[in-house]
Amino acid sequence: MPLKIYNTLSRKKEFFEPLDPDHIRIYVCGPTVYQYAHIGNARPVVAFGVLSQLLKYSYKNVTYVRNITDVDDKINKKAFDTRQTIRSITDKTIKSFHQDMKALGDTGPDIEPRATDHIQNMIDMIKILIEKKHAYASSGHVLFHVPSMKDYGHLSKRNRKELIAGARVEVAPYKVDPADFVLWKPSTEKTPGWDSPWGRGRPGWHIECSAMSAHYLGKEFDIHAGGQDLIFPHHENELAQSRCSNGTNFLSRYWMHNGHVMVEGKKMSKSLGNYYTVNELLKEFPGEALRLTLLKTQYRQPLNFTKTAVRRAKRELDGFYSAIRKSGLPYHSVGNLKPDPMVLEALNDDLNVPKAISELHRLANLLNRSKNENEAKVNGKNFLASGKFLGLFGSSAGSWFEWKSDIKSNQGLSNEEIDRIIAERRDARKQKHFERSDKLRLILEKEGIILEDNLTGTTWRRR
């Protein structure tokens, strides 16, 4: 089945037809790095990471760009409040972002540009917009003149009144039109800035992505993706300034947006106690369980993230890893990824990952019902390849079941103590001391350790 994706621009599913089949180009809006990434930040990373994997399976040459926004008023405020440079703040935050996303199974983009490394690209684009009468300088600012673009608003499908209200535009005397938005703004002595033809200043948020996508992917490319909250004003403004600067009919042929993330049934808020950073969640849950939780809701749909759902995902993965362990197949023995055709068919239908996961359960059942070693090997490889294609099964079954949260790191039995009790139980069974054997099993069960006896011995997992 050919790839079909929902195009925000047309508001319908369309077959994916690349501009150049020999080079697929995709741009995803990345994080603003002033604090730890929260679970909402992780959703586009996970969703469009699957998209990148799918495209790379189908096409020989794919360039996946995901930017880093490292100049922003929130970053500037944090730098001022903590008396640090913006670079020292963003370097630390980028490092933690990479670590957290890696724990979620993200393999990263092919190119990850930082906004501060492309200031000159932004200045050059702003100059062109001024020359073409799409922008003007006023009181140290440079603004995009919205009425200069006849079809401004066609991505978000908003009328002029909605556009002004939705953008929450600043009423300022230096604006020609209320809807005009900032491309460049002046910096004070306390604010980071760069020299420009309009004075020392810094870029507006929207121009950053326009400059970086053009630099790495060209004036027109295949797919632009990000969170649903970016459709307006960010993507609308990005599209406008890119098209007007480059003189093109479109920026990206397809626009993809993931749905909003609620947490515990409400909007995420520190005051409500439901503001979950990935860094904090990883102390309580394995990253793969967080990943599966994010994948189980189709990317365009709103997602209600709960810790209960993560626990369910953890138990689901326990079942998957049990099947892998019973098969005796090393988790890394897959070779080239060749996922099951039904898994691919689900993914090609606008990234229907929930359907792909249901197919993964079907494959696990086939593996568990294998009649002989050869059948288990074939079914196991198919199951492993399909799971890995979704970014799952990143560890051995043994490591998975030995995982222990940081919250419980100083509680309960260590791995060594568990192995010692299992060895003692094995000796008791050999000597037919079954009452002692049962007591040892109960000791482990009270500690949340589940034993599984089989022909080759005894394995264990944490509940």
Side-chain angles (χ1 to χ4, degrees):
M1 175 182 176
L3 174 61
K4 288 184 76 174
I5 56 180
Y6 183 86
N7 190 352
T8 304
L9 196 61
S10 65
R11 300 297 196 271
K12 63 182 181 182
K13 280 188 186 181
E14 299 176 3
F15 283 109
F16 176 65
E17 297 179 2
L19 293 170
D20 177 4
D22 293 328
H23 187 195
I24 310 303
R25 291 161 291 161
I26 174 173
Y27 185 91
V28 176
C29 285
T32 300
V33 286
Y34 67 98
Q35 61 182 5
Y36 283 124
H38 56 67
I39 195 63
N41 299 138
R43 193 178 193 192
V45 170
V46 170
F48 301 123
V50 173
L51 173 65
S52 171
Q53 174 79 347
L54 182 62
L55 289 169
K56 289 180 178 181
Y57 181 81
S58 304
Y59 298 93
K60 290 182 179 180
N61 186 16
V62 176
T63 300
Y64 169 29
V65 178
R66 187 180 69 211
N67 76 294
I68 293 282
T69 296
D70 61 347
V71 54
D72 175 86
D73 287 344
K74 291 177 181 177
I75 297 172
N76 296 341
K77 184 180 185 304
K78 186 171 183 178
F80 179 77
D81 291 344
T82 60
R83 297 181 181 180
Q84 300 179 65
T85 64
I86 62 168
R87 196 76 180 192
S88 65
I89 289 173
T90 56
D91 280 349
K92 292 174 189 173
T93 315
I94 290 170
K95 183 178 180 181
S96 68
F97 173 76
H98 287 157
Q99 290 172 340
D100 291 346
M101 295 307 109
K102 184 177 181 181
L104 297 189
D106 178 49
T107 55
D110 301 304
I111 302 171
E112 190 178 53
R114 294 174 64 147
T116 53
D117 291 334
H118 294 275
I119 300 297
Q120 189 57 52
N121 299 91
M122 300 172 206
I123 291 173
D124 291 342
M125 182 170 276
I126 293 171
K127 285 180 181 178
I128 293 171
L129 286 168
I130 293 175
E131 290 171 5
K132 292 186 173 184
K133 309 298 183 185
H134 289 294
Y136 58 92
S138 177
S139 302
H141 296 76
V142 180
L143 298 106
F144 183 89
H145 189 43
V146 169
S148 72
M149 183 180 182
K150 291 182 179 180
D151 57 348
Y152 179 86
H154 75 292
L155 174 64
S156 59
K157 304 293 191 287
R158 300 187 182 201
N159 60 40
R160 178 173 172 78
K161 187 179 291 186
E162 291 172 327
L163 291 169
I164 294 173
R168 298 178 183 176
V169 295
E170 177 189 2
V171 177
Y174 51 78
K175 287 188 175 184
V176 173
D177 187 274
D180 294 349
F181 59 86
V182 172
L183 301 173
W184 188 265
K185 50 190 171 183
S187 293
T188 66
E189 292 181 2
K190 297 177 181 178
T191 309
W194 291 262
D195 292 332
S196 80
W198 318 286
R200 183 175 177 275
R202 60 200 190 281
W205 174 33
H206 315 305
I207 196 70
E208 296 176 11
C209 286
S210 286
M212 287 185 281
S213 65
H215 182 76
Y216 291 102
L217 299 177
K219 295 178 179 181
E220 298 172 330
F221 50 91
D222 295 294
I223 298 172
H224 196 312
Q228 195 176 75
D229 57 313
L230 298 180
I231 296 174
F232 187 83
H234 183 52
H235 286 168
E236 191 73 74
N237 291 350
E238 188 186 339
L239 184 156
Q241 62 205 9
S242 292
R243 280 184 53 198
C244 291
S245 171
N246 298 328
T248 56
N249 292 323
F250 63 89
L251 169 60
S252 172
R253 179 173 283 184
Y254 304 90
W255 291 81
M256 300 178 70
H257 294 93
N258 63 270
H260 295 295
V261 176
M262 301 285 283
V263 176
E264 305 294 346
K266 299 177 182 177
K267 185 176 180 180
M268 189 162 45
S269 167
K270 290 181 181 179
S271 63
L272 293 174
N274 68 340
Y275 188 90
Y276 295 161
T277 68
V278 175
N279 190 270
E280 291 168 337
L281 288 166
L282 287 170
K283 295 174 183 176
E284 189 173 354
F285 304 104
E288 203 166 307
L290 298 176
R291 181 182 183 85
L292 182 58
T293 304
L294 292 172
L295 289 174
K296 283 175 69 64
T297 299
Q298 204 268 350
Y299 81 97
R300 284 194 293 113
Q301 303 305 314
L303 166 67
N304 181 28
F305 181 91
T306 68
K307 288 189 176 182
T308 299
V310 183
R311 294 186 188 99
R312 285 199 297 265
K314 168 67 166 60
R315 290 194 293 271
E316 202 169 333
L317 286 162
D318 286 347
F320 287 156
Y321 275 105
S322 289
I324 293 171
R325 182 156 66 181
K326 287 175 184 176
S327 74
L329 196 69
Y331 78 102
H332 50 74
S333 64
V334 177
N336 293 328
L337 285 177
K338 292 183 179 179
D340 185 83
M342 296 299 288
V343 170
L344 279 176
E345 183 175 318
L347 295 178
N348 277 321
D349 183 15
D350 193 34
L351 298 184
N352 192 344
V353 180
K355 178 68 165 58
I357 292 170
S358 71
E359 294 298 336
L360 207 57
H361 280 280
R362 176 181 61 82
L363 296 173
N365 289 333
L366 282 176
L367 176 57
N368 285 327
R369 295 200 303 268
S370 298
K371 297 176 182 177
N372 52 58
E373 186 177 335
N374 186 56
E375 190 174 321
K377 186 175 181 180
V378 172
N379 290 336
K381 282 195 172 184
N382 194 21
F383 176 60
L384 273 172
S386 298
K388 282 179 172 291
F389 197 80
L390 295 172
L392 304 175
F393 308 156
S395 65
S396 66
S399 297
W400 173 260
F401 288 121
E402 290 173 7
W403 182 88
K404 190 176 185 181
S405 74
D406 288 354
I407 293 173
K408 298 180 180 179
S409 60
N410 297 318
Q411 305 171 20
L413 299 174
S414 67
N415 294 348
E416 292 75 17
E417 289 171 322
I418 294 168
D419 289 336
R420 179 184 58 75
I421 293 173
I422 289 175
E424 187 178 341
R425 174 176 176 268
R426 183 174 59 247
D427 291 342
R429 284 161 63 94
K430 283 182 180 178
Q431 296 170 27
K432 302 187 183 300
H433 296 161
F434 298 115
E435 186 176 346
R436 174 60 179 163
S437 169
D438 290 341
K439 284 183 179 179
L440 291 169
R441 174 187 277 275
L442 286 173
I443 288 172
L444 291 173
E445 285 184 357
K446 287 179 181 179
E447 292 290 334
I449 308 302
I450 307 302
L451 300 184
E452 295 176 353
D453 295 317
N454 51 58
L455 294 176
T456 59
T458 300
T459 57
W460 61 272
R461 61 182 174 86
R462 296 186 187 275
R463 184 180 296 136

